[in-house]
Amino acid sequence: MTGTLKNPTSQTLEAPLEWNGEELQVKKTGPSFAGATLIDKVDKKRYYVLRDTEGFPLTTTGVTTVKGGESIVMFAQFPAPPVTTTQVEFQLPKMSPATIEIS
């Protein structure tokens, strides 16, 4: 998944620690979006950010702030849902969920 995270306010947003995830290996990575999940409401499944062979998250890292009015491109790699899944909800802690149509 690739998307744009925009701070529409005039104030700098400090990246919440919850974005990083809770696992020890993920904490070694530093700031990341490893706490993000995809939710398949129809099949009632939650998908977590994939990890590489060393346990590091396959997601954008290093984001500590988003300045007012700034947009950043971020990515996170998740397991593929079944081909019958047409919609998932992207959840990043402390933010409103976003619906993603899969085509």
Side-chain angles (χ1 to χ4, degrees):
M1 184 211 82
T2 302
T4 303
L5 180 68
K6 182 176 182 176
N7 178 358
T9 72
S10 60
Q11 298 177 338
T12 297
L13 167 69
E14 300 289 329
L17 291 176
E18 291 84 356
W19 286 4
N20 303 328
E22 295 293 322
E23 300 167 46
L24 290 177
Q25 189 66 34
V26 168
K27 289 181 179 184
K28 292 178 187 177
T29 305
S32 73
F33 293 100
T37 57
L38 290 181
I39 306 297
D40 179 345
K41 289 184 175 184
V42 173
D43 289 331
K44 297 182 170 104
K45 292 186 179 183
R46 180 180 302 260
Y47 298 93
Y48 296 90
V49 173
L50 291 172
R51 310 300 192 238
D52 68 13
T53 56
E54 296 178 13
F56 294 103
L58 300 177
T59 185
T60 301
T61 60
V63 176
T64 57
T65 61
V66 183
K67 295 178 184 172
E70 182 180 54
S71 294
I72 59 167
V73 175
M74 56 87 60
F75 82 94
Q77 190 170 342
F78 296 92
V83 294
T84 55
T85 301
T86 59
Q87 189 179 75
V88 292
E89 191 172 85
F90 175 74
Q91 294 185 338
L92 190 59
K94 302 225 170 205
M95 296 188 71
S96 299
T99 301
I100 299 173
E101 298 291 330
I102 300 174
S103 56

